[in-house]
Amino acid sequence: MKKISNYKFHFLAIFFCTGLFFSCNDDVESLGKKEKPVLTANGPTSITVAEGEDAVLSFKLDKAINKPIQYRLVILNDESTATDQLDYVIPGCRSNDPDCVAIEENGGPVGYIFEIPAYTTEYNVNIATIFDDLSEGTETLKLQVISNRTLLGTVDNLFFDVSITNSVSNDLNIRFDWSGTFMSDGEEIDNCDLDLDLELYDDFGDLVDFSYSNCPESLVLNTADLPDGTYYLYASLWTTSGYFENINIPTNIQFVKPGTAFNESYDLSSYFPMQDGGLDDGNPNAGVEFTIVKSGSVYTITNDMGETVFQGRMAAPKIKSSRKK
């Protein structure tokens, strides 16, 4: 029996690996010479936060490489009660967004992409939760972590459970809204083209706070910083911007102590007939005033007819317009 020379043996080995390149490459990877970094949790995977706080997801790679590695956070909607963009905000872009993801990298479950920089083994993703006005029970967010299409790193069965508990505030939020549209000469006009304002004055007539350039306008009365006393809230129409349709502007004002049951909204439409114009249009009656008495964290609010419209646990009557129709 003839022996194969070392030269012939090396030649055959090279030929074999050349013909079956991927098989040999896989063998090399399986030997650990080119294994991809593996992502795991670097902290708890069950996280509880109050509204307004960040839920911090901590990650760890078993080794660093000289390239950034991308992963996705996939929202498991069937196992979540919290709503994206309403109850929380995940940083980064979505994997189906053509503005930040090349089309050839799209595919698979849609998720928010996060990138671990090169030469890095530990990384955090902060999910901001939203402190809203509603009083609600604990909401949940279930996330799965998967590799992005670049596949520079791997991950196996990594899930996070985030519980978002209700937050309560002693502050008073005030929102002056006139959302909607109206028709003018056959054209649909956004109500935000009209200019309405909110102003807060103290008992000496000095301007304490204001909201002039938003739609809707809003103020936050910070209980800790605002001294006890009597204040006057003035909600007004500055100008109709040249529109004088024979309609009432659908305005309403809302008083809220976030996270509590103290949430009252009132229709003010009868105070703002568009055809009468605003203050800058020559109408001195284009506004309504509320009196706010602050004592500690308790706010008592009365309208221009002396009716209490907001106070702690008290049931508030509906506002009545003093304007003649």
Side-chain angles (χ1 to χ4, degrees):
M1 182 175 181
K2 295 182 179 178
K3 294 182 180 180
I4 300 176
S5 68
N6 288 338
Y7 173 81
K8 290 182 178 180
F9 177 82
H10 289 302
F11 175 81
L12 289 173
I14 293 170
F15 176 81
F16 182 76
C17 281
T18 302
L20 300 175
F21 172 78
F22 292 105
S23 175
C24 288
N25 189 52
D26 288 343
D27 287 343
V28 171
E29 288 189 1
S30 68
L31 292 174
K33 295 181 180 178
K34 292 187 179 179
E35 286 183 351
K36 296 175 181 179
V38 179
L39 186 72
T40 57
N42 195 30
T45 56
S46 293
I47 302 167
T48 299
V49 295
E51 287 178 332
E53 298 178 349
D54 284 356
V56 181
L57 313 185
S58 294
F59 299 98
K60 186 173 184 177
L61 289 170
D62 63 345
K63 62 181 177 181
I65 62 173
N66 62 353
K67 295 181 179 179
I69 304 174
Q70 291 185 345
Y71 290 93
R72 297 184 192 180
L73 290 172
V74 178
I75 301 167
L76 303 181
N77 289 309
D78 292 343
E79 301 178 58
S80 303
T81 59
T83 303
D84 188 20
Q85 302 299 311
L86 294 179
D87 297 307
Y88 59 86
V89 177
I90 300 176
C93 64
R94 289 171 64 89
S95 58
N96 61 347
D97 184 350
D99 291 335
C100 61
V101 179
I103 190 66
E104 64 270 14
E105 294 181 7
N106 195 8
V110 175
Y112 284 92
I113 297 173
F114 67 94
E115 184 175 89
I116 301 177
Y119 306 107
T120 302
T121 58
E122 295 185 359
Y123 190 77
N124 291 342
V125 173
N126 287 27
I127 298 177
T129 64
I130 299 173
F131 189 177
D132 56 30
D133 291 338
L134 302 176
S135 174
E136 53 198 357
T138 298
E139 297 175 296
T140 58
L141 169 62
K142 180 95 172 185
L143 297 166
Q144 181 180 8
V145 185
I146 66 172
S147 297
N148 202 32
R149 289 293 296 272
T150 51
L151 296 177
L152 292 177
T154 63
V155 60
D156 185 32
N157 295 323
L158 181 54
F159 298 86
F160 285 89
D161 292 283
V162 179
S163 297
I164 307 171
T165 62
N166 186 60
S167 289
V168 176
S169 173
N170 283 324
D171 297 340
L172 179 67
N173 290 0
I174 302 170
R175 177 185 170 103
F176 184 33
D177 193 9
W178 60 99
S179 300
T181 61
F182 63 92
M183 299 300 297
S184 178
D185 294 330
E187 181 183 1
E188 186 176 73
I189 307 298
D190 193 319
N191 283 357
C192 287
D193 287 352
L194 312 177
D195 185 2
L196 287 89
D197 300 319
L198 267 182
E199 296 170 315
L200 183 71
Y201 295 87
D202 63 18
D203 209 18
F204 301 100
D206 295 326
L207 184 64
V208 175
D209 201 358
F210 61 88
S211 180
Y212 288 155
S213 57
N214 298 303
C215 180
E217 305 290 1
S218 62
L219 295 176
V220 177
L221 276 56
N222 187 301
T223 296
D225 297 337
L226 188 69
D228 288 354
T230 301
Y231 299 87
Y232 301 95
L233 178 71
Y234 192 57
S236 64
L237 169 64
W238 178 245
T239 178
T240 60
S241 303
Y243 300 102
F244 295 97
E245 315 306 310
N246 187 21
I247 57 175
N248 288 347
I249 302 171
T251 54
N252 71 82
I253 194 162
Q254 186 178 32
F255 302 104
V256 180
K257 296 191 81 171
T260 74
F262 306 142
N263 186 326
E264 298 291 343
S265 181
Y266 306 99
D267 182 7
L268 299 179
S269 300
S270 61
Y271 284 82
F272 301 103
M274 191 184 299
Q275 65 271 20
D276 290 356
L279 297 173
D280 194 47
D281 303 318
N283 176 17
N285 299 316
V288 57
E289 186 176 81
F290 296 86
T291 301
I292 301 176
V293 177
K294 176 187 178 292
S295 178
S297 61
V298 177
Y299 294 85
T300 302
I301 305 174
T302 54
N303 63 13
D304 58 349
M305 296 178 64
E307 298 172 322
T308 299
V309 297
F310 184 95
Q311 183 188 52
R313 301 181 184 279
M314 189 177 164
K318 292 296 181 183
I319 226 175
K320 296 179 181 178
S321 172
S322 60
R323 287 183 58 91
K324 292 181 179 180
K325 296 182 180 180

